[in-house]
Amino acid sequence: ILANHVLLQVMDALYSQLLWDEFGATQTFDAEAFDHFCSLCVRIGAVVPLLPTTCNLVTKMGCLKWHASLTNEQREAELMKEYHVAGIDPMMHKQFISSGDAMPKGKSRLKSYKNKIPRREIDAAWSIIGFVSCCCTIGTFSAPDFKQPRDLLRGIVHYDCGTLPKVDHRLPPSKLQVDACSKEIKWIHALLSSRLLGDIPC
């Protein structure tokens, strides 16, 4: 549970750099910061199967909301209080640290879009998968449940703004769509061939 909890915070931080305009912030991480995140992911991967766990958590990330900083309790003046946008509630961290309670189930950000997920969300999901893949090694864990990674990969390809949408537009695809589709199929092939998602069920 602790590894999942830390990985969820890493993912929220990465999302803040990929969708920084929605977070009401700017891209502030430099190469050194990403190196630190990668090192942290490597350590998490020594405890849990990193990429399958990431795919599972991507589907569970909450919707973006404004949250009050936990340090506001120390600030009396209203103008000195800090707020930020995040997909996870900081009170969840405080509760977990104090009691060890499991993370509460909230509304999934991807599921909230249904099939109308914006393309920027799909690109962000691919970026998270790509970043974590670079931090992965094939461990000695037993084969994880393949359902969550399968559902995530299938979803980001078949969403309405995916490269192979289920909606029939009755128009020939553009060259950009064909190129993007070819690229994503190669990514999926690379992920499956690498066995970072575990053994593919027969």
PDB file of all heavy atoms in Angstrom, residues 76-82:
ATOM      1  N   GLU A  76      -2.445  32.357   9.810  1.00  0.00           N
ATOM      2  CA  GLU A  76      -3.666  33.014  10.277  1.00  0.00           C
ATOM      3  C   GLU A  76      -4.257  33.925   9.212  1.00  0.00           C
ATOM      4  O   GLU A  76      -5.471  33.983   9.023  1.00  0.00           O
ATOM      5  CB  GLU A  76      -3.382  33.813  11.555  1.00  0.00           C
ATOM      6  CG  GLU A  76      -2.980  32.940  12.742  1.00  0.00           C
ATOM      7  CD  GLU A  76      -2.787  33.764  13.990  1.00  0.00           C
ATOM      8  OE1 GLU A  76      -3.009  34.998  13.931  1.00  0.00           O
ATOM      9  OE2 GLU A  76      -2.413  33.192  15.039  1.00  0.00           O
ATOM     10  N   ALA A  77      -3.392  34.655   8.504  1.00  0.00           N
ATOM     11  CA  ALA A  77      -3.871  35.604   7.493  1.00  0.00           C
ATOM     12  C   ALA A  77      -4.379  34.852   6.265  1.00  0.00           C
ATOM     13  O   ALA A  77      -3.696  33.966   5.735  1.00  0.00           O
ATOM     14  CB  ALA A  77      -2.762  36.571   7.105  1.00  0.00           C
ATOM     15  N   GLU A  78      -5.585  35.188   5.807  1.00  0.00           N
ATOM     16  CA  GLU A  78      -6.188  34.497   4.673  1.00  0.00           C
ATOM     17  C   GLU A  78      -5.347  34.653   3.411  1.00  0.00           C
ATOM     18  O   GLU A  78      -5.228  33.724   2.606  1.00  0.00           O
ATOM     19  CB  GLU A  78      -7.599  35.043   4.439  1.00  0.00           C
ATOM     20  CG  GLU A  78      -8.424  34.258   3.438  1.00  0.00           C
ATOM     21  CD  GLU A  78      -8.748  32.854   3.913  1.00  0.00           C
ATOM     22  OE1 GLU A  78      -8.891  32.661   5.129  1.00  0.00           O
ATOM     23  OE2 GLU A  78      -8.841  31.951   3.057  1.00  0.00           O
ATOM     24  N   LEU A  79      -4.745  35.838   3.234  1.00  0.00           N
ATOM     25  CA  LEU A  79      -3.962  36.091   2.027  1.00  0.00           C
ATOM     26  C   LEU A  79      -2.672  35.282   2.002  1.00  0.00           C
ATOM     27  O   LEU A  79      -2.057  35.125   0.938  1.00  0.00           O
ATOM     28  CB  LEU A  79      -3.637  37.585   1.913  1.00  0.00           C
ATOM     29  CG  LEU A  79      -4.827  38.515   1.652  1.00  0.00           C
ATOM     30  CD1 LEU A  79      -4.373  39.974   1.622  1.00  0.00           C
ATOM     31  CD2 LEU A  79      -5.498  38.149   0.327  1.00  0.00           C
ATOM     32  N   MET A  80      -2.254  34.772   3.143  1.00  0.00           N
ATOM     33  CA  MET A  80      -1.021  33.996   3.213  1.00  0.00           C
ATOM     34  C   MET A  80      -1.261  32.510   2.962  1.00  0.00           C
ATOM     35  O   MET A  80      -0.320  31.750   2.786  1.00  0.00           O
ATOM     36  CB  MET A  80      -0.367  34.174   4.596  1.00  0.00           C
ATOM     37  CG  MET A  80       0.094  35.588   4.891  1.00  0.00           C
ATOM     38  SD  MET A  80       1.425  36.100   3.773  1.00  0.00           S
ATOM     39  CE  MET A  80       2.740  35.024   4.317  1.00  0.00           C
ATOM     40  N   LYS A  81      -2.517  32.117   2.917  1.00  0.00           N
ATOM     41  CA  LYS A  81      -2.820  30.704   2.735  1.00  0.00           C
ATOM     42  C   LYS A  81      -2.580  30.275   1.286  1.00  0.00           C
ATOM     43  O   LYS A  81      -2.743  31.064   0.358  1.00  0.00           O
ATOM     44  CB  LYS A  81      -4.256  30.416   3.154  1.00  0.00           C
ATOM     45  CG  LYS A  81      -4.487  30.612   4.654  1.00  0.00           C
ATOM     46  CD  LYS A  81      -5.901  30.247   5.067  1.00  0.00           C
ATOM     47  CE  LYS A  81      -6.077  30.399   6.577  1.00  0.00           C
ATOM     48  NZ  LYS A  81      -7.436  30.032   7.020  1.00  0.00           N
ATOM     49  N   GLU A  82      -2.193  29.027   1.116  1.00  0.00           N
ATOM     50  CA  GLU A  82      -1.849  28.509  -0.200  1.00  0.00           C
ATOM     51  C   GLU A  82      -2.848  27.459  -0.656  1.00  0.00           C
ATOM     52  O   GLU A  82      -3.358  26.675   0.149  1.00  0.00           O
ATOM     53  CB  GLU A  82      -0.439  27.900  -0.173  1.00  0.00           C
ATOM     54  CG  GLU A  82       0.661  28.916   0.144  1.00  0.00           C
ATOM     55  CD  GLU A  82       2.029  28.278   0.159  1.00  0.00           C
ATOM     56  OE1 GLU A  82       2.099  27.022   0.051  1.00  0.00           O
ATOM     57  OE2 GLU A  82       3.029  29.004   0.273  1.00  0.00           O
TER      58      GLU A  82
END
